[in-house]
Amino acid sequence: MLFQTLLSLVTLAVSVNAANYKRVTCPDGNVASNEACCVFFSLRDDLQANLFGGVCGEEAHESLRLAFHDAIGFSKSMGPSAGGGADGSPITFPDVEPNFPANLGIADSVDFLTPFLGAHNVSSGDLIQLAAAVGITNCPGAPRLEFLGGRPPPIAPSIIGLVPEPQDNITSILARMEDGGSFSPAEVVALLSSHSIARSDHVDPTIQAVPFDSTPFVYDTQFFLETLLKGTGFPGTGPNTGEALSPLPLSSGENVGELRLQSDGLFARDSRTACTWQSFINNEKLMASQFQAVMAKLAVIGQNPSKLIDCSEVVPEPLPAVNKPATYPAGKSKADIQQSCFSEPFPTLSTDPGKATLIPHCPPSQGGDADDCDSDEGSL
């Protein structure tokens, strides 16, 4: 009798659980795990068709940057008055946070995302995080990010001084990242893999769309390799505040050389982060999985995840990786590496043939149309 009672209770629990996870058909025909996710399908399609266009271009890069700048506006030590984290406050208060010095350039992403807020019944926090997750799927090799929906509207903007800057020292950046989101040094390095698809407008104001590695339209590990190469020059008028010597400064017309952020160069060589940095070189699966995990953590800073709804099925499958191993740019070799981690052997890599590397200004699908390839500013 007792066994039959227990069996009945288990059967009831399974039935209730199945009812809770019953999939629903949305008005547009999409199938969701929760009715609350239906609104995000139309938003996703709108973003892809009318913003990203299936290209790993500046809108994708800038949306990812905005997700970071929004979320890191939070402080465990100072409390709620410092900011609400991943709450969408840069869009809700566009005359405040975009004007902070460390946020130079995010006004562009605020401007191009704001119309989508009016067209869809979502919060600004959900819009920012979904735009980042959808945009990066257009970059070959990127991981598929988690998306949780249901963030409430922000109450107030964050305060100035919470976003790390490239001229900051590593100790202060790590302290800010721990206070802002309980990020470990290894997790900060994982977040910096976003620089694989980032470019800069404002570190050197005389040049535009300056990438941080030689493959800015592909999510790959070249960034972690090239940041360890000896710097030889500046792509523009450097050195500027927050800029370090670059290994690939050569420019030609619209093809602007590589820019190295001071903080990136230091992270690659600091004893607290150098081995994590080196571990990503030619290990795209590790880099992508770590980035996927840390972005899930970033996206809920200041939120109660138990009150959010997992709508990850809305995020498209990313474009597949190009499956090209990391290589030394033409003219470079192991002799140019400033190795800082010696607990593991440095990867054995080949060198690209040909003349010195020139970095393309536009994604291949844009056919070199410079007018469509304005740039964004890398974080940290």
Side-chain angles (χ1 to χ4, degrees):
M1 185 67 176
L2 177 60
F3 175 77
Q4 289 180 332
T5 301
L6 289 174
L7 182 60
S8 298
L9 290 173
V10 169
T11 301
L12 177 61
V14 170
S15 299
V16 170
N17 191 55
N20 288 340
Y21 286 90
K22 183 178 179 180
R23 300 182 68 79
V24 299
T25 300
C26 303
D28 60 6
N30 284 294
V31 178
S33 58
N34 190 300
E35 185 179 4
C37 299
C38 288
V39 66
F40 298 114
F41 285 105
S42 61
L43 173 56
R44 174 202 66 190
D45 294 344
D46 197 2
L47 288 167
Q48 282 287 62
N50 298 305
L51 182 62
F52 303 127
V55 176
C56 185
E58 292 314 308
E59 292 79 9
H61 308 166
E62 291 176 6
S63 294
L64 188 60
R65 182 184 182 228
L66 181 60
F68 170 76
H69 283 243
D70 178 29
I72 205 62
F74 180 85
S75 171
K76 295 186 297 182
S77 62
M78 289 185 279
S81 62
D87 61 358
S89 54
I91 287 179
T92 303
F93 305 100
D95 296 327
V96 183
E97 290 179 56
N99 293 324
F100 296 163
N103 286 343
L104 192 61
I106 72 165
D108 292 340
S109 46
V110 166
D111 288 344
F112 66 58
L113 282 179
T114 297
F116 293 90
L117 187 65
H120 300 270
N121 186 27
V122 299
S123 69
S124 55
D126 285 349
L127 171 60
I128 287 176
Q129 294 304 320
L130 183 61
V134 172
I136 198 175
T137 66
N138 298 299
C139 302
R144 190 183 189 196
L145 302 183
E146 177 184 73
F147 173 68
L148 306 182
R151 292 168 183 79
I155 298 173
S158 69
I159 63 173
I160 195 170
L162 298 184
V163 179
E165 298 193 73
Q167 64 268 26
D168 295 342
N169 64 61
I170 300 304
T171 297
S172 66
I173 293 176
L174 290 177
R176 172 80 280 274
M177 295 299 289
E178 199 287 325
D179 181 53
S182 299
F183 294 109
S184 68
E187 288 176 321
V188 175
V189 173
L191 276 174
L192 286 171
S193 70
S194 63
H195 285 188
S196 171
I197 54 169
R199 301 194 291 179
S200 171
D201 269 347
H202 301 290
V203 172
D204 186 335
T206 68
I207 49 178
Q208 304 294 305
V210 195
F212 300 144
D213 77 354
S214 60
T215 55
F217 310 114
V218 177
Y219 181 85
D220 61 12
T221 71
Q222 282 295 130
F223 167 71
F224 289 100
L225 170 64
E226 292 172 19
T227 313
L228 280 171
L229 294 170
K230 296 175 185 176
T232 61
F234 300 98
T237 61
N240 295 280
T241 300
E243 183 182 11
L245 283 166
S246 162
L248 300 173
L250 183 64
S251 299
S252 177
E254 290 291 339
N255 296 327
V256 182
E258 181 174 307
L259 184 144
R260 176 177 292 170
L261 296 181
Q262 178 182 311
S263 52
D264 285 345
L266 294 176
F267 269 111
R269 295 161 176 78
D270 191 276
S271 61
R272 293 163 288 186
T273 51
C275 286
T276 301
W277 197 278
Q278 181 176 300
S279 72
F280 289 156
I281 298 173
N282 213 27
N283 193 343
E284 189 169 331
K285 288 184 178 179
L286 176 64
M287 180 183 78
S289 65
Q290 294 297 310
F291 182 66
Q292 182 184 53
V294 77
M295 282 299 293
K297 185 173 178 177
L298 176 86
V300 295
I301 292 176
Q303 303 295 321
N304 181 348
S306 67
K307 294 185 178 180
L308 301 179
I309 299 167
D310 189 348
C311 298
S312 298
E313 71 260 32
V314 171
V315 180
E317 288 290 341
L319 294 177
V322 297
N323 291 325
K324 178 186 179 295
T327 54
Y328 296 111
K332 304 293 181 180
S333 69
K334 177 66 164 59
D336 298 295
I337 291 292
Q338 295 177 319
Q339 187 173 358
S340 299
C341 173
F342 298 96
S343 60
E344 297 291 336
F346 199 83
T348 300
L349 307 171
S350 62
T351 298
D352 291 334
K355 299 179 180 179
T357 299
L358 277 176
I359 305 170
H361 180 74
C362 295
S365 60
Q366 290 187 344
D369 185 354
D371 291 337
D372 292 335
C373 300
D374 295 335
S375 70
D376 68 325
E377 176 72 24
S379 305
L380 296 189

